[in-house]
């Protein structure tokens, strides 16, 4: 069945800039410190990508389409919009995004036609196209990205690359504005250029004054912006500024539809500037199409930045329905406490490996009702009280433990993550009632509950057993619940606890609180790594509650195994942030503490949660499919190199990597330094670039200018000005290089094949053909095997015939076609996963845009075709090995790479070769990276330099001893004509597979 349906909605803008390399932008556009935020915060990899994508889009808009100049008219901006809209069309956008005036209310109609031309009762979306969206999960740090873009935009304005538009931040709650103020204060402490936050209503006053030093950013509540003027409501027309605003929306669409009045006001204000829209939940087609960076909850978890999510079938149903006994209520509470006690015992084992690893696990209980007669919070508290007193029947406890284990031993699947399942050891069955007292209640014996609170602040109430001197639970509500006030007389009361509340200290290492319970009210804006178990009691029935579940789960998945490193342990190890010894000692312990276990109330509630999370995990119209790991790979020792950060920067390590600059610009830098002479002036001028090792870096700067042959490589890298070149050189000497740590077995570093994204409404044909090709095996070998079984009487004649028929029906290759664009689905027996999916054509005109993470680059397709032809030869050299295997690598998802100094980015980048091979003969083992690239790519030479720095010594490949193997790591580059390769790098280039094998 052929696909005849139109492509569904998908993200366009991110895909459009994916092939635009950030380091290839002009120096004025890529010479920013994107990583540093403050003295103790740096942007994570995905946040840096979001900022880089924003810069690439702005470059395309303000330089590539029409180069901005300060004297240009507003017509130039209209032309930019036209060209941007055309670019979307070139990349396959067919949706009608125009604003249909006939559907608008009269007040919106009048608003729009005041600012935009009408044509056929429509306004072309071309007028709204100057925007980019950032779809980032709750807890992923959108605020840092927004502030960093503001900072970079101000620099681009100063450099004359972007227009001097005013900046306006809009968000929908006062606490979020206060949160922004806190982050900006932190940013300002560490940066020479300060951000001044001013309320929008002060705009006329500030514009009349001399310009403030630094960056002025105005802010306001997005829901208080209108076309009317009241006490807090402001009329946007009073601040129109001819539409010359850079507007930053943070969840500002909450409560609004795209065609709402406020959404149009944001666009009107930025009509001659640019609109930046950030949210954890985008559903409107226009937001998806203009999404510059997607990192929703699914991506957040799949890339290791968050805990795994396990939604359990165990239910809090007894808390809602009257026909359940008190024993059933106690059982479900016990299950969450057993799980918490088990994870806390795991945490204790991890602490013996390294004391400051991970977080102290916490049970978070979120309830729907707090103050009604039979409030959910009251019912939960009563069960906590009974268990603390020891009022548990042995049979009830055993049932709770057994039922929980029955589910967990089946290794339930994690949300979003194909092929990764919950792994809980049998040690859970050893958890006793005494363990719960000790691990959860901070006590060695049962006892009544004692209450602590401040008479002046009854919003938080802490609990402990009278048999312990440590509190174990905290109730955080708008005020002390009525039912608790009425029952205070039966508790011991302690009013005297610290001025700073328990809730404010709950994230500190010395917090004793193991259970945090409350309603939705306290949860907004709360950040913690600690939740490992969440109980949702009677939450999830209504639409708003389901949104809350999504948000609270997003906050609950945060993780920080070591301070300031917010990724799961495996990803930290792959990035070189922890050493092999620590990883090996911890890796088998950490999965439970890297997991968020969720208990809901009813099956249909759980299903609604899962449905909502699944919607969040996918772009509209996107299906994720998984290919299959080759059984041949299961038991083979597949090795990969792993790296670590050096202890010192380049200037101390004395690395051979050279700074790249043109000879003319180096001469200008040299004359400038000689002219200044006084180092104190240089220190003052470039203090932002000299935070670490200032004196040493100035010395290296002068030495590199004087002895350029030792430190400088003259090349094509031009910076456009002395100031930019100097800043880049000073930054260069502070770069921390990566070093080789060793080799280890492949774990989950090649994962792209489990994340194939398809943008078709119906994928049945594709999936059926994948499943069919996956089953292909060598017919000759299979027939030989079945003949042997028949000859030995192991199978009947009928079974023999059926098997032979099945063998003859196996298919090695299939094709799928959509809109004339064909895919090949191939079974290549020595590939790491099966089957391989690749574009059938190498023509750019037939670019495949409805599937991601497959082979569609022409050089890669040619390589696979040539390899297949070579393997069909009877005397091919692969047969000389005991075994071999190879795999495609995907730089966006996989974590197998070679680090190298990248002069365009002025930092160490990761080189992801397109393919890797493992070849073993005797005790000789080769890890071979192959990258099909043309010889004209100068970046290839830099990547070779990075390879040589790590794997070549005295002109020869290093040999690594690993479990009895003598291992070499090789790099070869495939081109159509190896004769054109530069002389120094010729040994790395080959133009046919035979030559590649000769090199081996």
């Amino acid at each position: 069945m052929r696909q005849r349906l139109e492509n569904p909605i998908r993200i366009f803008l991110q895909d459009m800039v994916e092939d635009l390399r950030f380091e290839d932008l002009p120096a004025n556009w890529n010479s920013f410190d994107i990583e540093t935020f403050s003295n103790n915060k740096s942007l994570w990899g995905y946040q840096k990508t979001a900022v880089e994508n924003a810069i690439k889009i702005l470059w395309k808009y303000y330089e590539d389409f029409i180069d901005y100049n300060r004297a240009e008219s507003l017509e130039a901006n209209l032309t930019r919009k036209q060209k941007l809209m055309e670019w979307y069309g070139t990349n396959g956008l067919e949706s009608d995004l125009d604003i249909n005036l006939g559907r608008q209310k009269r007040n919106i109609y009048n608003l729009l036609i005041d600012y935009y031309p009408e044509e056929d009762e429509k306004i072309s979306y071309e007028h709204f196209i100057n925007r980019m969206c950032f779809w980032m999960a709750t807890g992923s740090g959108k605020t840092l990205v927004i502030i960093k873009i503001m900072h970079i935009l101000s620099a681009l304005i100063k450099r004359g690359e972007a227009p001097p538009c005013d900046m306006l931040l809009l968000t929908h709650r006062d606490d979020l504005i206060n949160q922004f103020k806190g982050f900006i204060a932190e940013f300002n402490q560490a940066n020479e250029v300060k951000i001044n936050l001013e309320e929008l209503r002060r705009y006329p006053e500030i514009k009349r004054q001399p310009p403030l030093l630094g960056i002025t950013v105005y802010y306001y509540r997005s829901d208080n912006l209108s076309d009317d003027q009241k006490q807090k409501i402001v009329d946007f027309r009073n601040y129109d500024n001819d539409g010359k605003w850079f507007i930053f929306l943070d969840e500002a669409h909450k409560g609004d539809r795209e065609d709402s009045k406020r959404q149009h006001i944001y666009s009107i204000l930025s009509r001659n500037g640019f609109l930046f829209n950030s949210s954890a939940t985008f559903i409107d087609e226009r937001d998806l199409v203009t999404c510059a960076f997607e990192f929703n909850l699914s991506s957040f978890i799949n890339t290791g930045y968050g805990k795994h999510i396990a939604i359990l079938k165990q239910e809090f149903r007894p808390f809602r329905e009257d026909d359940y006994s008190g024993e059933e209520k106690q059982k479900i509470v016990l299950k969450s406490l057993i799980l918490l006690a088990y994870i806390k015992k795991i945490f204790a084992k991890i602490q013996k490996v390294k004391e400051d690893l991970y977080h102290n696990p916490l049970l978070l209980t979120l309830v729907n009702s707090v103050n009604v007669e039979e409030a959910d919070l009251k019912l939960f508290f009563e069960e906590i009280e009974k268990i603390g007193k020891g009022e548990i029947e042995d049979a009830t406890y055993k049932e709770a433990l057994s039922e929980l284990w029955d589910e967990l031993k089946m290794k339930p699947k994690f949300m979003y993550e194909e092929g990764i399942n919950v792994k809980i050891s049998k040690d859970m069955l050893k958890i006793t009632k005494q363990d719960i007292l000790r691990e959860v209640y901070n006590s060695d014996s049962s006892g009544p509950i004692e209450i602590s609170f401040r008479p002046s602040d009854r919003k938080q109430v802490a609990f402990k057993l009278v048999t312990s001197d440590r509190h174990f639970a905290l109730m955080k509500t708008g005020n002390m619940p009525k039912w608790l006030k009425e029952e205070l007389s039966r508790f011991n009361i302690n009013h005297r606890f610290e001025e700073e509340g328990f809730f404010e200290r709950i994230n500190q290492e010395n917090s004793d609180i193991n259970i945090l319970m409350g309603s939705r009210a306290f949860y907004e804006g709360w950040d913690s790594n600690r939740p490992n178990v969440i109980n949702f009691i009677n939450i999830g029935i209504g639409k708003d509650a389901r949104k809350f579940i999504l948000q609270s789960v997003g906050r609950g998945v945060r993780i920080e195994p070591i301070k300031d490193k917010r990724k799961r342990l495996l990803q930290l190890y792959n990035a070189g942030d922890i050493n092999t010894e620590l990883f090996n000692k911890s890796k088998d312990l950490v999965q439970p503490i890297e997991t968020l276990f969720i208990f809901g109330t009813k099956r249909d509630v759980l299903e609604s949660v899962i449905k909502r999370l699944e919607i969040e995990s996918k772009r509209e119209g996107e299906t994720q499919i998984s290919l299959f790991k080759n059984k041949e790979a299961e038991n083979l020792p597949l090795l990969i190199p792993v790296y670590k950060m050096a202890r010192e920067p380049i200037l101390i390590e004395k690395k051979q990597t050279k700074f790249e600059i043109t000879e003319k610009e180096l001469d200008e830098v040299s004359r400038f330094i000689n002219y200044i002479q006084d180092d104190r002036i240089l220190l003052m001028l470039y203090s932002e670039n000299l935070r670490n090792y200032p004196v040493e870096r100035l010395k290296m700067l002068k030495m590199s200018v004087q002895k350029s042959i030792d430190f400088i490589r003259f090349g094509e890298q031009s910076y456009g000005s002395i100031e930019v070149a100097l800043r880049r050189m000073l930054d260069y000497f502070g770069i921390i290089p990566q070093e080789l740590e060793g080799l280890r077995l492949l774990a989950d570093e090649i994962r792209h094949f489990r994340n194939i994204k398809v943008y078709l409404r119906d994928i049945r044909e594709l999936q059926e053909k994948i499943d069919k090709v996956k089953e292909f095996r060598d017919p000759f070998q299979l027939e030989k095997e079945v003949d042997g079984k028949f000859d030995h009487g192991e199978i009947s004649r009928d079974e023999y015939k059926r098997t032979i028929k099945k063998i003859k029906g196996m298919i090695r290759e299939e094709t799928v076609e959509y809109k004339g664009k064909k895919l090949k689905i191939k079974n290549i027996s020595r590939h790491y996963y099966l089957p391989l999916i690749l574009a059938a054509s190498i023509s750019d005109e037939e670019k495949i845009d409805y599937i991601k993470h497959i082979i569609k680059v022409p050089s890669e397709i040619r390589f696979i075709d040539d390899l297949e032809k070579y393997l069909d030869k009877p005397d091919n050299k692969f047969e000389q090995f005991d075994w071999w295997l190879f795999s495609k690598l995907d730089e966006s998802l996989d974590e197998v790479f070679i680090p190298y100094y990248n002069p365009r980015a002025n930092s160490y980048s990761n080189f992801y070769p397109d393919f890797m091979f493992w070849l073993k003969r005797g005790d000789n083992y080769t890890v071979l990276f192959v990258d099909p690239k043309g010889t004209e790519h100068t970046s290839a030479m830099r990547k070779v330099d990075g390879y040589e720095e790590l794997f070549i010594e005295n002109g020869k490949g290093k040999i690594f001893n690993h479990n009895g193997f003598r291992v070499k790591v090789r790099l070869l580059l495939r081109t159509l004509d190896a004769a054109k390769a530069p002389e120094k790098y010729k040994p790395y280039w080959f133009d046919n597979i035979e030559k590649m094998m000769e090199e081996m």
Side-chain angles (χ1 to χ4, degrees), residues 288-505:
L288 293 170
V289 166
T290 59
C291 185
F293 182 70
E294 174 268 301
F295 203 73
N296 60 22
L297 190 56
S298 170
S299 302
F300 190 70
I301 292 166
N302 263 302
T303 50
Y305 285 97
K307 299 185 185 97
H308 308 290
I309 296 177
I311 300 179
L312 302 180
K313 294 176 183 175
Q314 318 287 322
E315 296 178 339
F316 271 88
R317 187 187 292 265
F319 279 72
R320 180 168 178 80
E321 299 178 9
D322 295 333
D323 55 345
Y324 283 87
S325 66
E327 180 184 300
E328 292 296 323
K329 285 189 179 73
Q330 191 173 81
K331 266 192 348 186
I332 184 62
V333 174
L334 274 170
K335 289 171 185 177
S336 63
L337 299 186
I338 290 167
L339 192 49
L340 178 65
Y342 170 76
I343 299 169
K344 285 182 73 68
K345 287 175 82 74
I346 295 287
F347 175 57
K349 290 180 182 178
I350 292 170
Q351 282 197 303
K352 289 178 181 177
V353 175
K354 193 172 186 291
E355 196 174 77
D356 58 351
L357 278 179
Y358 289 95
H359 55 270
N360 183 11
L362 177 78
L363 165 64
L364 180 62
T365 295
L366 298 168
V367 301
N368 187 48
S369 58
V370 172
N371 268 316
V372 297
E373 186 175 344
E374 287 296 291
D376 305 324
L377 190 57
K378 178 185 178 183
L379 297 176
F380 180 77
F381 173 75
E382 286 174 348
E383 296 306 325
I384 291 292
E385 185 184 6
K386 288 176 193 172
I387 294 167
K389 286 179 177 178
E391 297 173 0
I392 319 169
E393 295 292 333
D394 285 345
T396 303
Y397 182 82
K398 286 177 182 175
E399 280 182 31
L401 180 59
S402 175
E403 288 174 12
L404 181 61
W405 172 247
D406 283 346
E407 178 177 2
L408 292 174
K409 73 181 180 183
M410 301 307 292
K411 299 181 179 180
K413 292 180 179 180
F414 287 127
M415 291 294 300
Y416 310 126
E417 300 177 277
E418 290 286 337
I420 307 178
N421 298 64
V422 174
K423 293 177 185 175
I424 297 290
S425 75
K426 273 192 171 181
D427 288 347
M428 172 176 278
L429 292 172
K430 299 176 184 176
I431 298 294
T432 64
K433 290 185 279 185
Q434 190 64 31
D435 287 324
I436 290 177
L437 277 174
R438 192 176 297 116
E439 300 295 338
V440 179
Y441 287 83
N442 296 328
S443 180
D444 290 321
S445 57
S446 304
I449 277 181
E450 178 177 290
I451 293 182
S452 297
F453 62 91
R454 283 200 305 269
S456 61
D457 176 17
R458 297 189 178 198
K459 292 180 180 179
Q460 48 179 304
V461 183
F463 306 97
K464 73 180 187 67
L465 300 186
V466 296
T467 54
S468 171
D469 58 357
R470 295 163 59 204
H471 293 82
F472 73 92
L474 180 68
M475 184 183 291
K476 181 77 165 62
T477 53
N479 207 336
M480 183 184 289
K482 182 181 177 183
W483 54 264
L484 187 56
K485 289 179 189 175
E486 292 171 351
E487 296 184 14
L488 278 179
S489 59
R490 69 182 182 86
F491 297 104
N492 289 333
I493 307 295
N494 173 12
H495 292 314
R496 300 178 300 279
F497 67 82
E498 300 88 337
E499 278 303 307
E500 187 182 32
F502 283 92
F503 185 66
E504 286 70 29
R505 293 183 289 110

Side-chain angles (χ1 to χ4, degrees), residues 26 180 367 566 658 868 883 885 915 980:
F180 256 99
V367 301
R566 292 180 178 269
K658 294 182 178 183
E868 279 194 289
W883 61 260
L885 210 70
F915 298 95
K980 292 181 179 178

Side-chain angles (χ1 to χ4, degrees), residues 29 57-69 72 77 80 153 161-163 165 246 272-274:
W29 288 87
I57 293 160
L58 290 170
W59 170 82
K60 193 79 180 168
Y61 193 72
Y62 285 116
E63 182 157 319
D64 194 45
F65 290 146
I66 295 181
D67 194 4
Y68 168 75
N69 73 77
E72 72 180 26
N77 205 52
R80 283 192 191 95
L153 256 178
E161 299 288 359
C165 297
F246 290 133
N272 290 313
F274 218 92

